[in-house]
């Protein structure tokens, strides 16, 4: 009889076929910084990413970091472990006052992504652009969701554009993002509004979510008869009495 395959067997086979050791996730978060020297923002993030990628990691961190005069946008890809380690390092540095970040919000977490947008970690300075219309601070849930979708759409379009470039074309666009693709860069008014949205979580919530396992009741443990994969099928059988 053919051996029954478990879900774990299927997951291992899929990861092996994709050439991965674990699942990939994508994290997008924004923040407001008060660094006096703009270059200090990038230097801090470069060091943090290098520490994680140069040490043991199942999947390295890749992504795009855009920094403005007062804000930043970070689209990061990696495993659950490396993303969690990055956020922990970031929060530790904020708590000890090493870095000057006054507010952060998680914009998107995509689990089990098919492929990376970026093959390395890239950082670039960008100039602020103004929205054509003012955002009302009293925007309802539907309007906020539309603005959130607009924000994510800009970053995804930018990532797809960069993926299609040759090596020389990629470098040219990255060095002149504000001039060549201003329509794909999130505006500062949009980021300021999203930082004020109460139902968007900060990275601290995400770290605590990664650190705790949810309690679930497995249906097969509540069914009778119990599955033979977990309980011996002949546990209630008795051996025949020996004959003289």
């Amino acid at each position: 009889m053919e051996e029954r395959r478990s879900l774990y067997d299927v997951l291992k086979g899929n990861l092996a076929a994709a050439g991965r050791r674990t699942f990939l996730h994508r994290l997008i978060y924004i923040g407001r910084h008060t660094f006096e020297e703009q270059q200090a923002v990038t230097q801090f993030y470069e060091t943090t990413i290098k520490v994680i990628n140069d040490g043991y990691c199942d999947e390295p961190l890749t992504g795009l970091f855009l920094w403005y005069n007062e804000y930043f946008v970070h689209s990061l890809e990696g495993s659950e472990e490396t993303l969690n380690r990055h956020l922990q390092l970031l929060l530790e540095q904020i708590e000890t006052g090493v870095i000057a970040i006054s507010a952060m919000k998680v914009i998107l977490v995509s689990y089990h992504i098919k492929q990376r947008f970026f093959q390395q970690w890239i950082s670039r300075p960008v100039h602020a652009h103004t929205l054509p219309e003012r955002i009302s601070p009293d925007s309802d849930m539907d309007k906020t969701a539309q603005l959130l979708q607009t924000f994510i759409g800009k970053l995804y379009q930018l990532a797809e554009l960069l993926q299609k470039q040759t090596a020389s074309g990629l470098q040219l666009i990255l060095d002149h993002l504000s001039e060549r693709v201003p329509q794909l860069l999130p505006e500062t008014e949009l980021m300021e509004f999203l930082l004020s949205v109460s139902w968007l979580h900060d990275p601290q919530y995400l770290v605590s979510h990664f650190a705790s396992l949810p309690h679930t009741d497995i249906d097969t443990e509540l069914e009778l008869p119990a599955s033979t994969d977990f309980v011996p099928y002949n546990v209630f059988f008795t051996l025949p009495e020996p004959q003289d």
Side-chain angles (χ1 to χ4, degrees), residues 6-18:
S6 66
L7 177 58
Y8 178 64
D9 295 326
V10 175
L11 293 178
K12 287 198 302 182
N14 290 342
L15 287 173

Side-chain angles (χ1 to χ4, degrees), residues 20 51 79 90 99 116 140 147 156 174 195 198 211-213:
R20 296 177 187 163
V51 165
S79 67
L90 177 61
I99 55 176
R116 296 176 185 265
D140 58 15
L147 293 171
Y156 271 52
L174 286 174
L195 285 170
S198 59
S212 60
L213 294 175

Side-chain angles (χ1 to χ4, degrees), residues 34-45:
T34 55
F35 282 93
E36 295 182 1
E37 296 181 6
Q38 296 178 359
Q39 191 64 22
V41 185
T42 303
Q43 289 176 349
F44 165 76
Y45 272 95

